[in-house]
Amino acid sequence: MHVKSFKLNNGVLMPEIGLGTWKGNKTGELEKTVKTAIELGYRHIDCAKCYCNQREIGKALKNVQVPRKDLFIVSKIFENSHRPELVEAAADDILDELQLDYLDLLLMHWPYATRPETGYSSFKSEDIENVPIMDTWKEMEALVDKGKVRAIGVSNFNKSILEKMLPQCRIIPAVSQTEVHPYCQEPELVEFCKSNGIHVTGYCPLGGTRINVMDDELIKHIAEAHICTPAQVALSWSLARGIAVIPKSNNPIRLKQNLKTVTLSSDEMRMIGKIQRRERKLDPGNDHEQLKWIFHPDEAQCPVI
């Protein structure tokens, strides 16, 4: 099945529907899922160093019948590698795990930094350190110059951070990946990114275990009208807003369903846009008060740009 693409601000094409791989850690299962997804038509695979599963994804990528140039592989630098002298080595490590010569897109996973010895699963407040965002970003720009990545972007950055960051960038972020679904709509951030040529990718586009958008009565009602799944409605809503989506599933039937979008009416788009429930699946500020600025810029300011 063919998946349409969005053109990024540097001319690179990014498929609008990708495969999320967060928490895909069961040995053997993820490799099979990635292979199945690519066979079904997925070309955009979203990875990250801290997911601790890139070697398995790399095995899958080595054994698919699709040319590398037709794939769009994304990964993210973890916050313990933000120090400028660590950035290139972190990117090289990602390439080694995925068995690739280059990445199509490399993201700064979070706007805060932690000490190099910090682990991936959890960290303490004292592990957070002040590394200016632009120091890390300049090293990511250099990776583009060296041909190790085709495009660079950010993840979990709010509008206030981007407003301060963009005037200092030699290379404007091509993508801003953030949590987007009907319960976390981010209208101001999405509009800001669009007006500045930054494409938005929505992670957790179906919510999650605690925030299950697919159980929403309005979403289910619209799905019945279109004879489709609630997941297809939620994904189609984001795509209609010009937002790429990276849903995760190990189920071949759902993987196939998620590629089939529906055309929502303007009234349906408006009704979903008026959903009052507002919940976010991921917010490090819930565990660390000094990170409140990430998703609550009205309550706390970003310490360093």
Side-chain angles (χ1 to χ4, degrees):
M1 183 178 295
H2 175 71
V3 177
K4 296 178 182 177
S5 294
F6 291 114
K7 182 179 284 189
L8 303 181
N9 58 21
N10 62 352
V12 171
L13 295 177
M14 180 178 75
E16 65 180 16
I17 303 174
L19 175 70
T21 62
W22 182 39
K23 291 190 175 180
N25 294 325
K26 189 174 180 180
T27 303
E29 184 177 71
L30 182 58
E31 181 181 357
K32 181 179 179 181
T33 296
V34 172
K35 288 179 180 178
T36 299
I38 291 174
E39 288 171 2
L40 290 171
Y42 286 82
R43 296 294 180 264
H44 175 171
I45 310 296
D46 184 79
C47 317
K49 175 64 181 177
C50 70
Y51 298 169
C52 300
N53 56 18
Q54 290 187 140
R55 291 200 180 279
E56 189 164 349
I57 294 171
K59 290 179 184 178
L61 297 177
K62 275 293 182 184
N63 293 287
V64 294
Q65 303 302 310
V66 174
R68 170 67 184 92
K69 65 180 180 63
D70 293 338
L71 297 173
F72 190 91
I73 310 300
V74 183
S75 192
K76 310 174 191 75
I77 287 183
F78 190 60
E79 48 266 31
N80 65 1
S81 298
H82 279 210
R83 292 181 186 179
E85 65 272 19
L86 301 178
V87 173
E88 184 170 9
D92 288 342
D93 185 46
I94 290 170
L95 291 172
D96 177 67
E97 290 186 344
L98 291 170
Q99 301 183 58
L100 299 176
D101 296 322
Y102 67 91
L103 288 170
D104 296 280
L105 176 64
L106 179 66
L107 304 176
M108 194 185 309
H109 205 155
W110 289 91
Y112 66 89
T114 58
R115 293 171 181 167
E117 61 272 19
T118 307
Y120 297 124
S121 58
S122 63
F123 60 91
K124 300 176 182 178
S125 295
E126 54 264 34
D127 293 323
I128 300 169
E129 65 175 14
N130 287 337
V131 178
I133 288 170
M134 286 310 301
D135 286 1
T136 308
W137 185 255
K138 288 173 183 176
E139 295 303 316
M140 292 175 65
E141 291 176 327
L143 294 174
V144 177
D145 299 334
K146 294 176 181 179
K148 293 187 177 184
V149 300
R150 298 176 70 205
I152 51 178
V154 298
S155 178
N156 299 300
F157 277 45
N158 65 46
K159 177 187 171 185
S160 297
I161 301 172
L162 289 171
E163 284 177 327
K164 296 172 185 174
M165 177 183 174
L166 295 189
Q168 304 179 60
C169 293
R170 177 169 63 87
I171 299 176
I172 298 296
V175 169
S176 175
Q177 187 179 118
T178 193
E179 182 175 343
V180 179
H181 48 74
Y183 294 165
C184 183
Q185 302 195 9
E186 295 282 21
E188 290 186 8
L189 176 62
V190 171
E191 184 55 38
F192 176 82
C193 287
K194 284 184 179 181
S195 66
N196 285 277
I198 302 170
H199 190 82
V200 176
T201 295
Y203 69 74
C204 295
L206 306 177
T209 305
R210 183 176 56 81
I211 309 171
N212 196 341
V213 171
M214 293 179 287
D215 286 339
D216 185 270
E217 290 301 321
L218 174 62
I219 299 295
K220 291 195 292 185
H221 175 74
I222 293 174
E224 290 175 4
H226 286 271
I227 316 176
C228 69
T229 67
Q232 287 170 310
V233 171
L235 296 175
S236 298
W237 172 79
S238 284
L239 292 169
R241 298 175 71 203
I243 299 170
V245 291
I246 45 173
K248 175 187 174 293
S249 179
N250 295 319
N251 185 309
I253 294 175
R254 293 197 191 100
L255 284 170
K256 188 173 183 179
Q257 289 174 338
N258 289 345
L259 287 178
K260 296 181 179 179
T261 59
V262 296
T263 301
L264 302 177
S265 70
S266 57
D267 282 345
E268 289 168 334
M269 290 292 295
R270 178 180 53 77
M271 286 189 291
I272 296 174
K274 287 188 174 182
I275 289 176
Q276 294 300 307
R277 184 174 173 181
R278 291 289 178 265
E279 292 189 61
R280 184 182 293 279
K281 181 178 176 67
L282 296 178
D283 186 351
N286 291 335
D287 299 314
H288 303 280
E289 183 66 28
Q290 64 265 57
L291 296 180
K292 203 79 173 176
W293 52 270
I294 297 177
F295 294 129
H296 307 276
D298 55 325
E299 299 178 26
Q301 289 188 334
C302 172
V304 282
I305 298 289

